[in-house]
Amino acid sequence: MILRSGTAGRDAALTKAALAYAGTLARGAADPTKLFDIYTVPRPQVDLRAGLARAMQEGKLDEWLESLAPGDENYRRLSQAYVALRKSSNAPPTPIPDAGKPIEPGKSDPRIPAIAAQLVAFDYLDKAAAGAVYTPPMVAAVKRMQADYGIDPDGMIGTDALEILNLSDADRARAIAVNMERLRWLERNPPATRIDVNLAAARLAYWRDGKLVDTRKVVVGEPETATPQLGSPILRLVANPTWTVPRSIQRKELAGKGAGYLRRNNMVWKDGWIVQQPGPKNALGLVKFDMQNEQSIYLHDTPAKALFSEVQRQRSHGCVRVEDALGFAEMLARDQGVDAEWHRARATGKESYVALPQPVPVRMLYQTVLFDDSGEPVVRSDPYGWNDRVASALGFPASTGLRVKTRAADVGP
C-alpha cells in the first residue's frame, strides 16, 4: 500500500485522490489532445506512482507535490494574481460605467483615464498617448479596436466599445486560470534553443541557450483557418521559395481567375497544380522556414508587410508570416554557422535550400495573458475563442464578451 490508513478501501481512495491532484499539477486538469483536434506541443512525462511512493517513503509529500507545478516566474505571478482576484471576485464588479451617452472625440470625461489604460493594455494605444481627454490618437485606437471586433468604426465610445474594454475581476480570474492550465500542459524543461509563437498575441520569441534574444510580430491564421498548436522543428531555410497553391486556396481564392491573373502574379500550371515562381511577389516572400509536420504549417516571409501594423494579426490561411523574415533568417543562419551558404543560396535567385545543422524546435502556443512592464498580468483578447473549451473543462462558465471578427485574408498561406 502507498498510503497507510485504517482500511484498504480508504487507503486506495486516498492514493487515487493524491494521484489525481498530482496529475493536475504535473500535466494539467484537462487533456489538450481531447480539447483540440490538433495539439502536438511536447507535454510533461512524469511517473506519478513512482514519485508518490518515493515521496511517502521519504516523508516529503508536500515538497514533491510543489515540485510538479511549473516553477517559472510567470506561473508564480499568475498564481498570486489568481488568488487575489478570487478573493475580490465576490465583491460587485467595478467596470467602466456606461453612462448611456457615448463619449465623443475631443471631449473630457472622468472615464477617459480608465479607458486609455485598457487601450494600452490591449496594445491599441501607446502609453505616452494616454491622457484625460479623448484625443485624436485615442480616437484612432478606438476605431482600430472597433474594426477588429466588427463594430462600426465611428470612434464613439458607447456600449459596444465598453463591452470590449470592460473585464470584471471574475473575468480576469477565469482568463488567468485558463492560462495557468496551459502552462501546466508544457514540458518543464523545454529546449534551451527554440522558437515560441504565441498565436493569441501573434508574436514570436527566439530563445538561444536559455536566453531570450529576439522577439517580433507575426501574422497567424484567421479564426476560420486557425494555426494549430504544434510542436515542430525548423529543418532548413529555403531561399527564393516557390509556392504550390493548396487545393483549398485554389478553389476558394483562385476559382475563375484567368491566365492574365496568373501571369501578373508569376503563377504557372505544373503537373495539375498552380505554382507561384520565386520573386518579391511570391506569397512566401523571399524565405521559407521549412518545418516538419503533417499539417504543412511553416514560418515564412510575406509581401503583405502592412499586416504587421495591425493589432489583431490573425489574418493568414494558417501558416505564420514573420516580420523582417530575411533578418530573422540571417540570425538563424549566423547562429548555426551557415550564413555563407545562406548568402550563396539567396544570390542564386532560384529556390535553394540550406539545412540547419541543429534543427530548431518551434512551439505554437496560445496565451491570452501577458505581463506589463511592472510584471502585472494583462488579459488580452481571445481571437480564436479557445479559452472557452479550457474554461469549461476547469468548471468555469463560457465568456459572453465580443470576439475578434474574421476579415478577408489575402491569397497567401
Side-chain angles (χ1 to χ4, degrees):
M1 291 187 296
I2 295 177
L3 298 176
R4 300 186 184 282
S5 65
T7 68
R10 177 172 173 77
D11 180 75
L14 289 172
T15 299
K16 183 179 180 180
L19 288 172
Y21 180 60
T24 297
L25 293 175
R27 295 192 293 255
D31 183 347
T33 65
K34 295 179 180 178
L35 296 180
F36 301 96
D37 292 336
I38 300 170
Y39 190 96
T40 64
V41 180
R43 300 189 62 202
Q45 301 297 323
V46 185
D47 187 338
L48 295 177
R49 286 191 172 275
L52 177 59
R54 185 167 54 253
M56 291 300 298
Q57 184 177 12
E58 296 173 356
K60 297 181 178 179
L61 180 60
D62 290 343
E63 292 91 332
W64 176 68
L65 289 172
E66 186 175 348
S67 73
L68 295 174
D72 61 281
E73 183 65 14
N74 282 355
Y75 188 84
R76 185 188 66 80
R77 288 187 293 187
L78 286 174
S79 180
Q80 291 176 340
Y82 178 77
V83 171
L85 286 168
R86 292 296 291 178
K87 288 180 178 178
S88 64
S89 61
N90 292 326
T94 56
I96 303 167
D98 185 353
K101 184 179 180 180
I103 304 173
E104 299 178 8
K107 300 295 185 180
S108 297
D109 190 284
R111 297 171 291 174
I112 289 295
I115 292 170
Q118 281 297 91
L119 290 169
V120 170
F122 286 2
D123 214 22
Y124 284 101
L125 182 69
D126 290 335
K127 186 181 295 185
V133 178
Y134 193 20
T135 60
M138 284 188 65
V139 175
V142 169
K143 286 183 176 180
R144 292 178 72 188
M145 181 186 73
Q146 289 172 322
D148 283 342
Y149 284 82
I151 301 169
D152 179 25
D154 58 7
M156 304 283 280
I157 303 177
T159 300
D160 287 340
L162 289 174
E163 184 178 349
I164 300 169
L165 294 168
N166 271 327
L167 285 176
S168 68
D169 285 347
D171 292 330
R172 291 186 172 89
R174 172 186 181 274
I176 288 173
V178 166
N179 282 264
M180 290 174 65
E181 172 71 359
R182 287 197 173 101
L183 290 178
R184 289 191 289 267
W185 294 343
L186 302 179
E187 56 187 342
R188 301 299 183 258
N189 296 297
T193 296
R194 68 184 186 278
I195 294 168
D196 287 339
V197 177
N198 185 343
L199 303 175
R203 293 200 68 91
L204 172 154
Y206 174 38
W207 296 81
R208 183 175 63 229
D209 299 327
K211 296 181 180 179
L212 181 63
V213 296
D214 186 74
T215 62
R216 59 188 64 213
K217 297 176 182 178
V218 295
V219 174
V220 300
E222 61 181 353
E224 289 184 357
T225 55
T227 306
Q229 297 167 93
L230 298 177
S232 177
I234 294 176
L235 303 177
R236 62 185 180 180
L237 304 177
V238 184
N240 314 304
T242 61
W243 178 45
T244 301
V245 181
R247 298 291 191 200
S248 59
I249 296 179
Q250 184 177 317
R251 289 191 299 268
K252 184 178 179 181
E253 311 290 344
L254 300 184
K257 302 291 186 183
Y261 175 89
L262 298 183
R263 186 168 54 253
R264 289 192 301 273
N265 288 278
N266 202 19
M267 293 177 172
V268 297
W269 283 97
K270 185 176 182 180
D271 299 329
W273 294 82
I274 295 177
V275 178
Q276 190 175 37
Q277 301 302 300
K281 290 185 178 180
N282 188 285
L284 303 185
L286 297 174
V287 58
K288 173 184 176 183
F289 303 82
D290 223 355
M291 297 171 63
Q292 186 179 43
N293 57 74
E294 296 178 355
Q295 290 72 32
S296 298
I297 297 295
Y298 46 83
L299 278 60
H300 64 92
D301 187 18
T302 177
K305 310 296 186 188
L307 291 179
F308 294 113
S309 65
E310 298 283 343
V311 175
Q312 304 293 345
R313 293 185 295 278
Q314 290 72 29
R315 302 288 183 242
S316 80
H317 282 92
C319 286
V320 178
R321 309 175 189 185
V322 181
E323 184 181 36
D324 184 21
L326 283 176
F328 191 55
E330 181 78 20
M331 184 183 301
L332 292 183
R334 184 174 60 250
D335 287 350
Q336 299 232 357
V338 293
D339 43 333
E341 293 93 323
W342 171 243
H343 296 156
R344 286 195 295 269
R346 282 206 61 205
T348 66
K350 300 178 181 179
E351 187 170 59
S352 305
Y353 306 92
V354 177
L356 297 181
Q358 298 295 326
V360 180
V362 178
R363 303 189 302 178
M364 305 287 187
L365 309 175
Y366 193 82
Q367 290 288 337
T368 61
V369 179
L370 305 179
F371 294 90
D372 62 18
D373 294 339
S374 64
E376 291 299 311
V378 176
V379 178
R380 300 287 299 276
S381 65
D382 174 18
Y384 291 166
W386 283 353
N387 279 0
D388 280 350
R389 62 187 74 178
V390 182
S392 177
L394 297 178
F396 289 91
S399 171
T400 58
L402 296 177
R403 296 269 188 238
V404 173
K405 301 299 182 182
T406 298
R407 294 186 186 177
D410 54 36
V411 174

